């Protein structure tokens, strides 16, 4: 069913905590920090750090009539064809349909399951903390049509930004269950001197995508 488009930005802390909870439900343990870093980098890049996150769709996953999800329509959606030509779509074209999730928690669980099922090699790269391979596999499997070079630069910069932060340690501290592996939680240097690099990468991707 089509629903109204609603902006749903999430902070770094909110995203990380939701990811830890969803991961624990899947695996019975928390993910490594490097995994959270790669997955957050995709959210931050795809949505312009949440500025263009709608209806809890943290990965800009498209809707198809048979997927069982509600959806919203996003004006000015564009895709690149095999020849590098850009095509812009307007509602009600199906290219403008994106999944709508009721909550961030629902979105996170479905996003994990979606990546595991549809993009298994990319998922393996995310688990290994490899943003460049993650970007390459997503491109190969058709997750995005934008420039692979731009997408990769963005993921790599944002992954490094996450790793410089204390988001992972802080998120674990808010949860009831401790990590099963003590080495998963290590104090980080909160030096964010390189954050401007990641901001530039996001801006570059947003300029290419023309995200509203």
């Amino acid at each position: 069913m089509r629903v109204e488009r609603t902006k749903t930005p999430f902070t770094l802390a909110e995203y990380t905590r939701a990811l830890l909870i969803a991961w624990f439900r899947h695996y019975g343990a928390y993910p490594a920090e490097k995994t959270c870093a790669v997955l957050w980098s995709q959210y931050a890049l795809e949505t312009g750090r949440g500025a263009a996150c709608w209806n809890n769709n943290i990965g800009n996953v498209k809707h198809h009539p048979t997927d069982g999800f509600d959806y919203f329509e996003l004006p000015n959606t564009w895709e690149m064809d095999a020849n590098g030509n850009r095509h812009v779509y307007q509602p009600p074209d199906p290219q403008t349909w994106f999944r709508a999730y009721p909550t961030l928690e629902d979105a996170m669980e479905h996003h994990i399951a979606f990546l595991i099922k549809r993009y298994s090699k990319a998922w393996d790269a995310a688990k290994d903390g490899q943003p460049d391979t993650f970007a390459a596999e997503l491109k190969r499997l058709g997750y995005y049509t934008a420039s692979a070079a731009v997408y990769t630069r963005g993921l790599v910069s944002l992954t490094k930004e996450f790793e410089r932060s204390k988001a992972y340690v802080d998120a674990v501290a808010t949860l009831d269950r401790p990590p099963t592996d003590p080495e998963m939680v290590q104090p980080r240097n909160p030096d964010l001197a390189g954050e401007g690099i990641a901001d530039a990468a996001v801006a570059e991707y947003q300029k290419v995508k023309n995200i509203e």
Side-chain angles (χ1 to χ4, degrees):
M1 179 178 71
R2 186 177 68 82
V3 298
E4 291 299 315
R5 179 165 56 105
T6 303
K7 187 168 287 190
T8 52
F10 301 106
T11 65
L12 174 58
E14 290 169 336
Y15 180 95
T16 306
R17 189 175 192 278
L19 174 56
L20 292 174
I21 292 171
W23 192 283
F24 196 95
R25 289 172 179 168
H26 272 267
Y27 294 108
Y30 293 148
E33 181 179 22
K34 62 184 180 182
T35 303
C36 294
V38 173
L39 293 176
W40 176 80
S41 75
Q42 187 198 24
Y43 160 75
L45 186 66
E46 285 279 353
T47 68
R49 297 181 181 273
C53 182
W54 307 96
N55 297 72
N56 304 299
N57 191 329
I58 55 178
N60 278 341
V61 177
K62 290 287 189 73
H63 164 75
H64 298 284
T66 60
D67 65 17
F69 291 92
D70 291 339
Y71 72 97
F72 64 92
E73 295 175 329
L74 186 63
N76 302 316
T77 297
W78 65 266
E79 301 292 347
M80 301 291 288
D81 64 25
N83 297 317
N85 299 311
R86 175 170 164 159
H87 302 273
V88 180
Y89 302 92
Q90 302 295 342
D93 192 291
Q95 286 286 359
T96 69
W97 297 355
F98 291 81
R99 290 183 182 182
Y101 300 97
T103 66
L104 171 59
E105 289 72 23
D106 288 322
M108 193 66 72
E109 292 200 32
H110 281 114
H111 193 57
I112 289 174
F114 177 72
L115 289 174
I116 291 172
K117 181 178 179 180
R118 296 278 300 276
Y119 303 93
S120 59
K121 290 188 176 180
W123 179 249
D124 290 341
K127 289 196 297 182
D128 290 339
Q130 299 176 348
D132 50 351
T133 305
F134 182 57
E137 287 298 327
L138 289 178
K139 178 68 172 180
R140 185 180 68 83
L141 296 168
Y143 188 100
Y144 65 91
T145 62
S147 162
V150 172
Y151 203 92
T152 301
R153 280 197 296 272
L155 291 192
V156 170
S157 293
L158 289 160
T159 295
K160 291 178 180 177
E161 178 187 323
F162 184 99
E163 291 173 341
R164 288 191 298 269
S165 78
K166 295 176 62 180
Y168 182 82
V169 175
D170 291 346
V172 169
T174 69
L175 301 174
D176 295 333
R177 297 176 181 271
T180 56
D181 182 354
E183 294 184 356
M184 284 184 174
V185 183
Q186 296 291 337
R188 307 290 305 194
N189 180 354
D191 175 22
L192 298 180
E195 187 169 323
I197 299 174
D199 282 335
V202 172
E204 179 183 26
Y205 187 64
Q206 302 308 302
K207 182 178 180 181
V208 172
K209 283 187 69 67
N210 192 28
I211 290 178
E212 56 178 65

